[in-house]
Amino acid sequence: MNRHRRWFGRLVIVMLIAICAACGNNNTGNGNNGNAAGNAGETKEGTTATVKERVISTSKGDITIPEDPQKVIGLSVVYPEFLYALGVTPIAVQNYHPDFPSYLKEPFKDTLKMGIAQTPNFEAILASEPDLIIAPEWWSDKDYDQLAKIAPTVLLPQRDNWRDELRDIGDVLGKKDQAEKIIQDLETKQADAKVKLDSLVGDETVMYMMIMAKEIVIYGENIDRGSFIHKQLGLTPVKEFPQTELSLSISLEKLPEYNPDHIIVQMDDETSEEVKSRYDQMTSSTLWKKMTAVENNHVYLMGGKEWFSLGMSPLADMNAIDDVVRAFENNNK
């Protein structure tokens, strides 16, 4: 879509929002007027219904939000996972893969998929009639005014650790204690898995790689994904990986230089023909077949959508722990 069409689309959306506001049928606010989405104190039949509200402090000032929001949108590919972990099923989400990972497929069966773009899908958000929108400040600050016309919108700061993101959302929802319990439960599960994997693998080296459409990437222990594999689960990285790098784009010819005892392979998108072609090209090569992990049948294939949020979400990490432990257990039978 060219620049003029993009701006025209945004103009149509703004006009649509203005018309809805003028009609008074969706009298939403950004907190300055104290309203939640949908004229909070009134039902469709015109009878009054008390909706409890509370005021929270944000980077945009004090905002009035529902005390118990029922229709929440989290504008980030990982925010929906945080919401669900905290007991809130989002009504609409941004999605990278066509299908949800297995651990979200059933609970998100009625959740609207909005895809991913540089700007929010205002039309879909408006149609969803949310009573609360939660979005990362770094991505949604430029769109705040438009989002706030649809529903009370809370912008959250960028965090280096997903645990702090979860705490932020827990604070917004009044579920701080639940957020801490989720973090503690994951740490307990990680500790148990670390002991189990140590008994299965010991000091044998493990390399974690992703097959993408245009490249093959291997991850070190100082990036979210690599940290999960090597620090949280204690699997020993190859010594040859440079500690100054978070990840490396690597050619097939260079792979044997690392030659680990075990390889965890993730497909970026298992439905992509380009990804499948690159994977087939790699696994059919003589260089690959002569690697120690391949010769010993120590290669573990993981799906893209299942591990998409690895190292960035408690649900993804919990699911991946089960995958890794199961893979190494099956290999030792």
Side-chain angles (χ1 to χ4, degrees):
M1 182 180 292
N2 62 35
R3 183 185 305 173
H4 294 90
R5 297 174 75 179
R6 284 200 304 269
W7 279 108
F8 177 76
R10 295 182 71 167
L11 178 60
V12 170
I13 293 168
V14 172
M15 291 174 65
L16 180 60
I17 293 172
I19 291 170
C20 291
C23 291
N25 291 328
N26 189 24
N27 191 20
T28 59
N30 63 3
N32 295 330
N33 59 15
N35 288 337
N39 206 9
E42 192 172 299
T43 65
K44 291 183 179 179
E45 292 75 19
T47 59
T48 58
T50 301
V51 175
K52 294 183 179 180
E53 298 175 330
R54 63 192 182 93
V55 178
I56 63 171
S57 296
T58 76
S59 62
K60 297 296 183 180
D62 289 347
I63 295 178
T64 300
I65 67 172
E67 187 173 288
D68 184 23
Q70 299 298 306
K71 301 176 71 175
V72 183
I73 293 178
L75 289 180
S76 161
V77 289
V78 292
Y79 278 14
E81 299 205 17
F82 295 146
L83 289 169
Y84 184 65
L86 291 166
V88 176
T89 301
I91 58 171
V93 300
Q94 292 177 297
N95 56 295
Y96 177 78
H97 294 96
D99 298 318
F100 292 120
S102 58
Y103 55 88
L104 293 177
K105 186 174 182 179
E106 177 60 26
F108 281 16
K109 64 181 185 297
D110 297 322
T111 297
L112 175 67
K113 298 173 183 174
M114 299 188 293
I116 291 181
Q118 292 184 348
T119 58
N121 187 334
F122 295 106
E123 185 176 2
I125 295 170
L126 180 64
S128 298
E129 300 182 342
D131 53 17
L132 178 64
I133 299 171
I134 303 175
E137 187 172 30
W138 67 268
W139 187 71
S140 299
D141 185 66
K142 66 186 186 306
D143 302 305
Y144 175 79
D145 290 341
Q146 287 175 269
L147 292 170
K149 290 176 182 177
I150 299 174
T153 299
V154 179
L155 299 185
L156 298 178
Q158 184 174 3
R159 300 291 193 182
D160 293 330
N161 191 309
W162 67 257
R163 292 161 183 79
D164 294 321
E165 290 184 287
L166 180 67
R167 291 182 177 107
D168 288 341
I169 293 179
D171 195 21
V172 172
L173 298 175
K175 298 187 176 187
K176 295 174 65 174
D177 291 344
Q178 189 170 338
E180 293 300 333
K181 185 177 186 305
I182 291 167
I183 294 170
Q184 183 57 56
D185 288 347
L186 176 60
E187 289 177 353
T188 299
K189 184 166 186 170
Q190 286 175 343
D192 292 342
K194 191 173 184 178
V195 172
K196 180 67 174 178
L197 289 169
D198 183 60
S199 68
L200 294 171
V201 186
D203 293 330
E204 294 177 1
T205 57
V206 177
M207 184 169 71
Y208 169 32
M209 61 190 296
M210 184 183 292
I211 311 301
M212 308 183 78
K214 304 299 182 183
E215 60 184 340
I216 298 172
V217 178
I218 58 176
Y219 294 98
E221 58 185 311
N222 295 317
I223 193 171
D224 293 331
R225 295 176 177 279
S227 177
F228 172 82
I229 295 294
H230 299 300
K231 292 182 178 179
Q232 273 70 58
L233 298 186
L235 295 172
T236 305
V238 291
K239 295 179 181 179
E240 292 78 9
F241 190 95
Q243 290 300 303
T244 56
E245 300 291 339
L246 300 179
S247 63
L248 288 176
S249 178
I250 190 170
S251 66
L252 179 58
E253 290 73 24
K254 289 286 186 180
L255 271 178
E257 294 181 11
Y258 295 90
N259 201 31
D261 297 306
H262 302 265
I263 302 176
I264 295 174
V265 181
Q266 179 187 351
M267 304 282 277
D268 177 47
D269 183 354
E270 55 266 71
T271 66
S272 166
E273 291 301 323
E274 287 183 288
V275 172
K276 287 189 285 187
S277 175
R278 184 169 292 275
Y279 174 75
D280 290 341
Q281 179 185 13
M282 179 186 73
T283 55
S284 62
S285 73
T286 302
L287 290 172
W288 172 261
K289 292 177 180 179
K290 288 185 177 180
M291 292 181 69
T292 300
V294 178
E295 289 182 330
N296 293 331
N297 195 30
H298 289 168
V299 179
Y300 318 100
L301 183 62
M302 304 297 174
K305 67 178 182 294
E306 302 300 322
W307 279 35
F308 179 73
S309 298
L310 181 65
M312 296 176 284
S313 155
L315 297 181
D317 285 7
M318 288 181 180
N319 179 75
I321 288 172
D322 292 336
D323 287 343
V324 172
V325 171
R326 186 185 307 116
F328 281 93
E329 283 181 331
N330 291 340
N331 190 264
N332 278 267
K333 288 182 178 179

